[in-house]
Amino acid sequence: MCGIIGYIGPREVVPVLLNGLKRMEYRGYDSAGVAVLHDGELSVTKVSGKIANLRDLLDSLDKPGNIGLGHTRWATHGEPNHTNAHPLIDGTGKIAIIHNGIIENHLLLKTQLISKGHEFKTETDSEVIAHLIEEFYDGDIEQAVRLALSQVKGTYGLVVLCHDEPDKLIAARLGSPLIIGLGEGENLIASDLAAMIEYTRNVIFLDDGELAVVTREKVVNTKLNRQTVNKKVEQIFFNIEEIEKDKYPHFMLKEIFEQPNSIRDAMRGRLLEDEGTARLGGLHNFEGTLQEVKRFIILGCGTSWHAGMIGEYLIEELAGIPVEVEYASEFRYRNPVVEPGTVVLAISQSGETIDTLAAMREAKKKGATVLGICNVVGSTIARESDGGVYIHAGPEIGVASTKAFTSQLTVLTLLALKLGRQRGFLDKATGQMLTQALSELPDKVSEVLARSNEIEELAEQLKSKPNFLYLSRGANFPVALEGALKLKEISYIHAEGYPAAEMKHGPIALIDENMPVLFIAVNGHTYEKVISNIEEVKARKGYIIAVINEGDEVIRQFAHHVIEIPRTNSHLSPILAVIPLQLLAYYIAVLRRCDVDQPRNLAKSVTVE
C-alpha cells in the first residue's frame, strides 16, 4: 500500500526522499508528495500520478533542507488527485503529516473539529490527524501527537513534522508497518526496508501502540502511555542488487526467472534425503504440538490463499491431517470454531497483510497455536506468530506475486512431508522419493523457463481475447485460479478459474470458438477425467490450450496449443504448472502495453481493510 519515508540528518533531504519513494513504487500508489523544512519554512510539494512527475516538479524548485517527509498514496478516502495527496498540513501550515491506514471515526472527529473552527481542504480521513494535533499543540509536538492518537479509532503508520520543533520527527504505529533506520548522525523512518537500504542496515521495527521520537543522534521509543520500550536493533541482510531490475525490462519477468534459485533457497538446509523427510528450524519448539495436531486452518489472501489451497491437498494426502482453508478477510467476521488441537497457518508474502494479521490474532484469542509462513524477516506476522517458516524468496518487487508463490508451495510441501514422516503416515521410501523429486525441481523449473519463447508466441495469438477460462482438477485446480488471477491482475482481461468438473454447472454456457480455455492436464489420478472435460470443450468449439507433461501425445490431439512441462512427482506438479501461466500473463500484458509491475488499482501489500 502507501509508502512512507522520513529523514533527519546532514544529507540534502529531497534526493533521499525521492530515492526512498522510488524504492517503494512497486507497492502501488496514485499520487506522491514531500514536505521539507528549511530556513524556517515548511514547504509541501505533491502531485497526482507518478513519482517521475514529482521529481520533475522538484527539479524546477529550490527545496534544500535536511529534514523532511515523503509519501506515495493509494486512495481509500477521497479521489486520487493532487489535493488529497500527502503530506497533509494542519490549519496553521506548521504541522505536516503522512499517514498509512484508515481512521474509522474520522467523520465524527471532523464534525467536532469544524465546530471549533477548523477548515478542511481534502476529502481524506487522514487530514483529521493533522487538525487534531494542531488542536492539542502547545509547544510539545510529542505530547500533541499522543493526545491526538488517543482520540482516533482505526489504523495508522504515522510520521509528523513540526515547523516549530525542527530537530525531530514523531513516528507512531497501530496496524500499519513502520521501520526506523539507524545511521551515524542521521536516522530514517519508512514503511518498507527497501526505502532505507542504501543508507543503513540497522533497523528497529515499531510494534502496535508504540511511538518514537527521532532526532539526528537518537531514537526514543515509548508506548502511547509514555512507558519506555527497549527495542532490539536488527539487521537487513538482502543486497541492493536484489531490488534492481538488472537486465530485465520488468521486475515481474526477473522474478519469474529467479524461481530456480528461490525454490532452491526455500529448501536449502531443510531437505533430509537420506531419512526422506525435512527439517524446519522455525518449528523446532512445536514438535509436540505438530505430533498431536488434530486440524489445520490455513489463512491467506489472494495468491497466498491459492497456495494454502494447494497446501490443503499436500497436508491431507501426505500427512492425513484435516485441513480447512479460509479467506483471512472473512475469518474474523463470523464465529469460527477453533477446537483444542487446532494449528493455524497464516500465509503472507509481506507478513503485513492486514486481513491475515487480524485473522491470525482472532485465532490466537481462540486458543490456537499460530504459525506463520512469510517472506519478509521482521514483519508483523513473523513477530506475532508463535513460530513459523521463512520462505527465503528474497525481495519480490512486482505487484503480481510469482516467486513467492512457488516458494510458499515449496515450504508447504516440506511441511507436509515432515508431518507425514513424523506421524508415521508416510513411509521412508515414499519420503525419499519425494525428497529426490524436490531436489530435482529447480532444474526442471529452468527447463520450463527455457521455453519462454514458445509462450511469448502464444501470447501474440491470445492478446486480443476478452475472456479466458482456466480449468483443472485436484491440486492443480488452485493453479487454475492462480493463472486466472495473474491474467486479470496485469493484463486487465477477464478470466476465471474453475475445477474442470464444475464447468458443466454453468461456465460451459460461455464456451464458443472465441473462448480460450486453458487446461492444466498433467499426469495424476484425475488425468482421464480431465481428458473428458477437454473433449466437452472441443465439442463446443472452444479454443483449447493445455499444459501437459513432456511426451503426452493423447491430449496433444485435442488441443489447439500445448505447453509441455517436465514430469515430476504429482505432489510437485503445481509448482511446475504455474510457471507457464505466469509467463503467459506477463507476455500478454506486455503486448497490451499494460504497466506490468504496477498494475492499476493494485498494491503489493494490502495494509488497509
Side-chain angles (χ1 to χ4, degrees):
M1 282 284 178
C2 313
I4 278 176
I5 178 72
Y7 175 82
I8 181 169
R11 302 175 196 261
E12 187 174 335
V13 71
V14 168
V16 176
L17 299 178
L18 287 173
N19 186 53
L21 294 179
K22 188 69 178 175
R23 293 290 183 200
M24 295 184 287
E25 197 168 27
Y26 74 97
R27 294 168 66 92
Y29 69 103
D30 46 57
S31 58
V34 300
V36 176
L37 185 58
H38 177 68
D39 283 346
E41 180 187 357
L42 176 60
S43 63
V44 175
T45 307
K46 51 189 185 176
V47 298
S48 176
K50 295 297 185 182
I51 292 166
N53 300 338
L54 178 63
R55 187 185 298 274
D56 290 343
L57 182 56
L58 287 167
D59 283 346
S60 67
L61 302 171
D62 184 21
K63 298 288 185 185
N66 307 109
I67 179 172
L69 311 174
H71 191 265
T72 49
R73 176 176 185 256
W74 188 87
T76 55
H77 295 70
E79 293 182 9
N81 57 30
H82 166 272
T83 301
N84 292 325
H86 294 212
L88 301 170
I89 59 172
D90 73 321
T92 69
K94 292 188 174 184
I95 297 170
I97 71 149
I98 49 179
H99 168 237
N100 290 352
I102 291 178
I103 305 305
E104 295 170 2
N105 61 336
H106 73 281
L107 291 175
L108 174 62
L109 293 171
K110 187 174 182 178
T111 300
Q112 294 171 348
L113 288 163
I114 289 172
S115 72
K116 295 179 179 181
H118 291 260
E119 294 183 11
F120 284 77
K121 304 292 178 62
T122 79
E123 302 170 291
T124 69
D125 58 325
S126 304
E127 191 181 2
V128 300
I129 302 176
H131 286 271
L132 272 176
I133 296 171
E134 175 194 350
E135 184 70 18
F136 289 114
Y137 186 64
D138 63 357
D140 185 344
I141 190 64
E142 178 187 351
Q143 177 65 0
V145 172
R146 290 183 193 279
L147 292 171
L149 294 180
S150 72
Q151 302 295 306
V152 304
K153 295 179 181 177
T155 58
Y156 51 81
L158 176 71
V159 186
V160 182
L161 170 61
C162 181
H163 169 278
D164 293 342
E165 299 183 54
D167 59 345
K168 68 183 69 168
L169 297 171
I170 309 296
R173 174 205 164 130
L174 183 65
S176 191
L178 272 187
I179 309 155
I180 298 175
L182 307 175
E184 294 185 9
E186 63 181 356
N187 288 305
L188 301 97
I189 306 165
S191 54
D192 193 308
L193 289 169
M196 58 179 66
I197 190 173
E198 293 178 52
Y199 309 103
T200 183
R201 292 186 174 267
N202 297 317
V203 299
I204 291 170
F205 294 94
L206 285 190
D207 288 312
D208 281 353
E210 292 182 354
L211 179 145
V213 179
V214 181
T215 66
R216 288 184 179 214
E217 300 298 335
K218 65 179 181 178
V219 176
V220 178
N221 295 96
T222 60
K223 296 285 190 181
L224 287 181
N225 64 5
R226 289 190 175 274
Q227 177 186 349
T228 301
V229 179
N230 295 317
K231 302 294 292 185
K232 178 183 178 183
V233 178
E234 302 191 43
Q235 287 195 307
I236 305 172
F237 289 106
F238 68 82
N239 296 315
I240 196 165
E241 291 78 13
E242 295 182 77
I243 53 175
E244 300 285 356
K245 288 181 190 173
D246 194 21
K247 62 184 178 181
Y248 294 93
H250 298 98
F251 281 110
M252 183 179 179
L253 188 64
K254 178 191 177 194
E255 288 154 8
I256 289 172
F257 274 84
E258 284 176 342
Q259 287 175 109
N261 288 331
S262 58
I263 290 169
R264 191 176 285 113
D265 287 343
M267 293 188 289
R268 193 180 305 279
R270 291 170 168 171
L271 268 187
L272 303 176
E273 293 187 54
D274 289 344
E275 292 99 53
T277 188
R279 173 178 53 228
L280 297 170
L283 304 182
H284 177 72
N285 294 331
F286 299 91
E287 296 293 337
T289 301
L290 294 174
Q291 182 69 39
E292 302 298 327
V293 60
K294 298 292 191 296
R295 179 178 67 136
F296 280 100
I297 297 174
I298 299 180
L299 303 172
C301 298
T303 288
S304 294
W305 184 72
H306 297 158
M309 293 182 71
I310 296 170
E312 178 179 17
Y313 286 93
L314 290 166
I315 292 171
E316 290 190 344
E317 291 185 9
L318 295 176
I321 304 168
V323 180
E324 294 177 29
V325 184
E326 298 266 5
Y327 280 115
S329 57
E330 292 295 322
F331 181 77
R332 69 186 171 121
Y333 290 110
R334 55 187 181 80
N335 187 24
V337 178
V338 180
E339 312 104 319
T342 298
V343 171
V344 170
L345 296 177
I347 306 178
S348 167
Q349 186 281 139
S350 67
E352 300 291 352
T353 308
I354 195 164
D355 288 319
T356 306
L357 181 57
M360 183 183 92
R361 288 168 174 165
E362 180 68 18
K364 290 184 81 170
K365 284 181 186 176
K366 290 181 174 289
T369 297
V370 177
L371 305 176
I373 296 177
C374 58
N375 190 33
V376 179
V377 176
S379 60
T380 306
I381 287 176
R383 297 199 313 275
E384 291 196 14
S385 55
D386 298 312
V389 184
Y390 285 117
I391 64 173
H392 297 309
E396 187 178 66
I397 305 301
V399 166
S401 181
T402 52
K403 66 175 182 176
F405 177 70
T406 51
S407 293
Q408 287 170 347
L409 296 187
T410 302
V411 165
L412 286 165
T413 306
L414 295 176
L415 175 61
L417 171 63
K418 171 184 171 63
L419 290 168
R421 291 287 291 119
Q422 177 180 314
R423 293 163 66 94
F425 192 84
L426 207 63
D427 62 47
K428 183 176 180 180
T430 305
Q432 288 172 326
M433 285 191 291
L434 185 53
T435 56
Q436 176 66 28
L438 279 162
S439 68
E440 297 168 355
L441 195 58
D443 290 338
K444 293 187 176 183
V445 171
S446 295
E447 291 180 43
V448 178
L449 294 171
R451 294 169 175 158
S452 62
N453 289 343
E454 299 173 26
I455 300 168
E456 188 173 9
E457 291 171 6
L458 175 61
E460 182 68 46
Q461 300 174 40
L462 300 174
K463 66 182 181 183
S464 299
K465 299 294 184 182
N467 300 286
F468 279 68
L469 198 58
Y470 287 69
L471 302 173
S472 194
R473 302 184 78 142
N476 281 302
F477 151 56
V479 177
L481 294 176
E482 177 65 9
L485 177 62
K486 286 292 152 287
L487 191 66
K488 284 184 279 195
E489 283 181 311
I490 62 171
S491 75
Y492 318 141
I493 294 173
H494 176 252
E496 298 294 339
Y498 278 90
E502 289 297 304
M503 175 184 60
K504 296 188 291 295
H505 298 280
I508 198 167
L510 299 172
I511 293 173
D512 60 20
E513 63 274 11
N514 295 314
M515 171 69 84
V517 183
L518 195 150
F519 282 91
I520 298 106
V522 296
N523 289 99
H525 65 276
T526 60
Y527 176 75
E528 288 77 14
K529 298 292 184 182
V530 174
I531 291 176
S532 297
N533 299 136
I534 290 173
E535 291 188 272
E536 290 166 349
V537 172
K538 186 175 180 65
R540 289 156 181 83
K541 298 184 169 51
Y543 187 90
I544 299 169
I545 305 142
V547 176
I548 64 173
N549 287 126
E550 289 173 332
D552 186 334
E553 297 299 328
V554 176
I555 292 178
R556 185 181 290 275
Q557 64 185 310
F558 297 115
H560 295 84
H561 193 100
V562 298
I563 303 169
E564 290 190 337
I565 62 173
R567 294 177 184 271
T568 188
N569 185 291
S570 62
H571 298 298
L572 306 182
S573 65
I575 296 174
L576 292 181
V578 77
I579 291 168
L581 309 189
Q582 295 170 347
L583 287 166
L584 183 63
Y586 170 79
Y587 287 123
I588 289 175
V590 169
L591 290 167
R592 290 167 64 90
R593 298 184 178 179
C594 298
D595 192 340
V596 172
D597 285 334
Q598 298 167 46
R600 67 188 183 204
N601 302 331
L602 294 181
K604 181 64 177 173
S605 177
V606 180
T607 57
V608 296
E609 285 196 83

